[in-house]
Amino acid sequence: MWSTFVMTLKTNLRDRSALFWLIVFPLVLSTLFAGMFGNLADSYEIKPIAMAVVEDANWKDASVASSFVDALSGKTRTSDESETPGAHADPGIHLIDATAVDSLTQARAALADGTADGYLTVDSEGGLRLTLASTVAGSAKDAMSSGSSKAVAIAALGNAIGLYNRTDAVTRDLIADNPQAAVSRSFWTSLGDTAGMTREIQLTNFKPDAMARYFYALLGMACLMAMGYSITAVTTAQANLSALGLRRTVAPLGRGRQLMAGFLASWLCAATSLLIALSYIRYVCGIALGGREPAAVIAVITASFMACAFGTMIGAIPGLTHSVKMGLTSAIPCALSLFSGLYGAFAMSLSELITRDAPVLALINPAQQVTNLFYDILYFDSYRPFLTTCGILLAMSAVFLIAGVIMLKEQRYEHL
């Protein structure tokens, strides 16, 4: 049995076609994905807008507006309200890069020469007014549907200024009606609470890359292609499919032990190939796993076991030649990967539709379940969904192996 295991292992390592589809193909496609999607995350990052701030007489009378603009630009202030140029306590996301000008004429000149995308002024009532260059406003409107960073930043800036103006107007009216409110600490604290109406929370184990789904759909496809190893191991043990199968049929080693050795060798090659692809995706393409790399290794081992079991069943189908069975190793993964989201946004939408409206179809799709293994790692705090998906794949493996054993057991030869 050991010699059969070693022989099958060597045969698999010499199979250039299998090595291409299981190692070269995932690496090349992952590189293409990284090149295509690598800058998409940066396009959604909010970048500050160059703004000219008109510091005229109205501006000097509105100290609160000055503090608000400093907060938008990420600047800090000292206790005596003097500006600290270039100082940033914790800049995080700031919406504007403010440049002070003395007059409205200078602000309009900055818009004309392109050094500023807009300008801020304070009206006679202390309200902030935002003016954008026509080219910037037009491009932001066109890009709003695609969610460009500048369009998002302009929308956020407009909302922030609108909130400031409403809060300022309400504050002035309340103090005018009730002057005692101006000396109440709770009154000013309640005004500050209006800025906290929304807050960012994290629902997943960590913040995954938005394009990670395509990489894990690729792993699902590559995993199913690994069934070619076990198909070869089964067909080379059948006397009616190859001369090697004829010799192995009359060998003293029983068919069961031959198939077991071939299955284990195929599983080892498939798992190793997929681990290489996973390592490339994780460390070269930079698709993080949130510190759950050991779980990802278990996912690959489980998925490759299922793929080899699937290949064993296909290899045991009577009446098909070896070339036809090997052709299925490409046709089946390509077809099933359509429903797991590999082929772009349309395929992702189709995968989500099937999962939501026809969960049984998603449940019996091996490519979808392999992809779900990595979704479970990324999007859930608990390991329970991951273990559930592992159980589904192991159940699939049991069904495939039982079907393969039944078909192999019923095969008889009139003569050798």
Side-chain angles (χ1 to χ4, degrees):
M1 181 175 175
W2 173 251
S3 60
T4 302
F5 173 85
V6 174
M7 182 272 296
T8 305
L9 190 62
K10 291 180 178 179
T11 301
N12 290 340
L13 294 177
R14 293 169 182 168
D15 188 345
R16 296 181 179 179
S17 176
L19 292 177
F20 172 82
W21 287 111
L22 286 177
I23 297 180
V24 178
F25 176 73
L27 298 188
V28 171
L29 205 56
S30 297
T31 304
L32 291 177
F33 283 173
M36 293 168 57
F37 303 141
N39 296 326
L40 287 183
D42 295 337
S43 66
Y44 289 100
E45 181 181 353
I46 296 179
K47 298 179 181 179
I49 306 170
M51 300 295 295
V53 179
V54 181
E55 296 186 351
D56 53 10
N58 290 335
W59 176 268
K60 295 176 181 178
D61 293 337
S63 60
V64 178
S66 178
S67 300
F68 177 73
V69 171
D70 285 342
L72 292 179
S73 58
K75 296 179 181 178
T76 59
R77 283 186 165 276
T78 60
S79 58
D80 62 355
E81 295 296 313
S82 62
E83 186 176 276
T84 307
H88 294 75
D90 184 12
I93 298 176
H94 59 283
L95 293 178
I96 64 174
D97 283 332
T99 302
V101 295
D102 296 329
S103 64
L104 189 59
T105 303
Q106 293 181 4
R108 291 172 176 171
L111 263 65
D113 60 23
T115 57
D117 294 328
Y119 59 83
L120 290 171
T121 59
V122 175
D123 59 23
S124 58
E125 297 180 354
L128 275 174
R129 295 293 179 262
L130 170 65
T131 303
L132 293 174
S134 58
T135 55
V136 174
S139 61
K141 183 178 180 180
D142 295 337
M144 186 62 73
S145 59
S146 61
S148 70
S149 60
K150 177 166 287 190
V152 173
I154 291 174
L157 179 60
N159 290 334
I161 292 176
L163 177 60
Y164 167 83
N165 288 333
R166 291 192 299 272
T167 304
D168 181 68
V170 170
T171 303
R172 292 175 185 271
D173 291 342
L174 288 175
I175 292 178
D177 295 338
N178 185 10
Q180 297 298 325
V183 297
S184 173
R185 181 180 297 273
S186 61
F187 170 74
W188 296 108
T189 302
S190 64
L191 292 177
D193 292 340
T194 59
M197 291 184 294
T198 60
R199 61 191 179 93
E200 181 179 2
I201 61 175
Q202 183 170 303
L203 299 177
T204 57
N205 173 53
F206 81 114
K207 186 177 181 181
D209 192 301
M211 298 299 112
R213 302 175 63 188
Y214 294 99
F215 290 90
Y216 297 136
L218 171 61
L219 280 178
M221 180 180 182
C223 172
L224 290 185
M225 287 185 171
M227 63 185 181
Y229 282 138
S230 54
I231 289 177
T232 301
V234 172
T235 55
T236 53
Q238 294 176 284
N240 62 332
L241 295 181
S242 67
L244 176 59
L246 178 64
R247 293 194 300 270
R248 292 178 64 177
T249 300
V250 297
L253 185 65
R255 177 185 291 185
R257 299 179 69 184
Q258 290 183 31
L259 293 174
M260 178 64 72
F263 180 87
L264 293 177
S266 300
W267 184 17
L268 176 61
C269 291
T272 302
S273 300
L274 292 173
L275 284 175
I276 293 173
L278 176 66
S279 300
Y280 184 84
I281 290 173
R282 169 63 185 89
Y283 296 107
V284 178
C285 298
I287 304 300
L289 292 166
R292 292 184 169 181
E293 284 77 8
V297 173
I298 295 175
V300 166
I301 293 174
T302 304
S304 59
F305 182 85
M306 181 277 301
C308 290
F310 197 4
T312 299
M313 182 185 70
I314 294 177
I317 297 176
L320 297 181
T321 63
H322 176 70
S323 59
V324 172
K325 294 176 180 178
M326 292 303 295
L328 292 176
T329 62
S330 298
I332 292 176
C334 289
L336 294 180
S337 294
L338 171 64
F339 306 105
S340 65
L342 178 61
Y343 305 127
F346 168 76
M348 280 294 176
S349 300
L350 179 61
S351 174
E352 293 170 355
L353 176 66
I354 293 174
T355 303
R356 182 178 60 253
D357 298 335
V360 175
L361 296 180
L363 183 66
I364 62 176
N365 184 352
Q368 182 65 62
Q369 294 305 317
V370 174
T371 306
N372 286 347
L373 283 175
F374 298 96
Y375 290 173
D376 297 338
I377 293 173
L378 293 177
Y379 301 129
F380 292 95
D381 293 332
S382 171
Y383 281 102
R384 179 176 296 180
F386 172 74
L387 295 176
T388 300
T389 307
C390 287
I392 293 172
L393 288 173
L394 291 177
M396 285 184 179
S397 303
V399 172
F400 296 151
L401 288 175
I402 291 172
V405 169
I406 291 174
M407 286 186 287
L408 288 172
K409 186 177 180 180
E410 296 298 326
Q411 292 181 13
R412 296 290 186 271
Y413 309 108
E414 293 183 1
H415 58 82
L416 296 178

